[in-house]
Amino acid sequence: MGKKLTVYFTSDVHGFLFPTDYATRCPKPMGVLGEIAQFHKDGNTLILDGGDTLQGSPLTYYYHLQQGPCPLARALNEGGYDFVTLGNHDFNYGPQALGDYLRALKAKCLCANVEAPGLPIAPWAIRTMANGLRVGIVGIVTNWVNRWENPANLVGICVKEPLAAARAALAAMKTQVDFTICLYHGGYERDLVTGRSLSDSDENIACKICEELDFDLMLMGHQHLAVAEASWHGVHMVQTPANATHFAKIEVSDEGTIHSQLIPAAVVDCSAYEKEYNAVESWLDRPIGSLDRPLLPSDKVDMALHGSPIADFFNQVQLEASGADLSVTCLANDIRGFSQQVTVRDVVATYVYPNTLTVLEVDERALRAALERCASYLNEDLTIARDFLEPKVAHYNYDFFSGIEYTFDLSKPVGSRVVRLTREGKPLRGTYRLAMNSYRATGVGGYDIYAQCKRVREIQKEISEMILDQFVQKGHVVVRPSHAIHVIRSAIDGDRIC
């Protein structure tokens, strides 16, 4: 190839602009500002982002509520970004917010499998570097956007299958370039060392893309995993962790060899964004009410065994808002929990997703199928099952129910571990209305059964807003424990934890 190239790559920053996780005011090595401060751009440098920029932090939620321009575009402009693609969460606030962001960006948006007339999105681009190297970039996003997203947020937008779109885009530019990059908001489906299959869905297909298309560099997102110096079928592969904790630096030598590394974000001065920072922090520290007790997380295994008062609270909110018979909720991988005196920070750092509420009609068969998925979370030795840790850490795919009582026997094979299922101590009869978040209602996370259930009601209000409303309306909230879960570890001695 004979011409050097440097690429800086970020992905899944989820609106984390400042050096804070918003759980406290203590600075941490994270945030877009702490990444771009380390970029050194010249004519042979590209700066790229892999999507999931507009949602996921209290900052993005605050600006969504205020209906004001989010400062993320400004930061990316100051960082010198050249191209971005879209992530599934970039659609969460609808086409107007997405369009405002893209039009404010100096970088060009590339997403070959998204058709959105009126939005500045192209399938691919060619950039000729100062040294004459011609670089072709194709952007794509997982088509599971169609499964997850509220249809109202996709009006006028069509998300197609990504492999075919990438194939067509690569073919259109291949003869015009020296080096090719796939900017993919999706991840890998095989262990990159052993080749073992990690998933049988098409949510993540980076390996398949590398097998069928001859890109030189695959830049991945979505799974939030730390990947550098990896390859698949001769394609160099890179992925960054979430929330702007690390960025990737990729260097292509004169000989065409590729090396990559992940670099931590720095803790930097944010005085240029002081107004935005103070506005969000003041809003987060605003008292909104109280609880009868603090609701704090314990470790993942303990919550799976004994339940969680945080999950009890979320289910209580969902039941009151929906009038359903039963409720189910999950907890994010990392949550703050609630102090007894509750602030906005407690809410938005504990219920972190932009989900709305869906009510499904379920029967005992559907509930058992869903509970069997929950029961597969723990191995008999009380370690967490690999399916919830690879290829992406997904503790949020373990669900907590309210309105039923159930027992798991971990000594039994996965798929036959639910040994008791009752409602108020009695066998289930007929059908029930089950409230859950809109994400889970699509059947993702291993809960395919929900996609077969009748939808009774859609409540187009974010669950985090429902939680805030609880305190606005009541001031003081008493959380009722569910006492739903019982776990047996041994069929021989009946060792029960309850």
Side-chain angles (χ1 to χ4, degrees), residues 90 151 333 471:
D90 292 323
N333 286 345
F471 296 103

Side-chain angles (χ1 to χ4, degrees), residues 319-341:
L319 286 169
E320 291 186 18
S322 66
D325 306 304
L326 317 173
S327 180
V328 62
T329 192
C330 59
L331 301 178
N333 286 345
D334 299 298
I335 54 175
R336 170 185 168 88
F338 295 87
S339 305
Q340 191 164 358
Q341 299 299 315

Side-chain angles (χ1 to χ4, degrees), residues 21-23 295-300 303 308-311 314 330-338 345-353 395-396 400:
D21 61 4
Y22 296 101
L295 307 179
L296 302 175
S298 56
D299 70 73
K300 307 298 183 186
M303 290 190 291
S308 164
I310 301 171
F314 291 166
C330 59
L331 301 178
N333 286 345
D334 299 298
I335 54 175
R336 170 185 168 88
F338 295 87
R345 190 185 303 274
D346 290 326
V347 176
V348 301
T350 306
Y351 199 99
V352 300
Y353 300 117
H395 299 295
Y396 51 79
F400 301 84

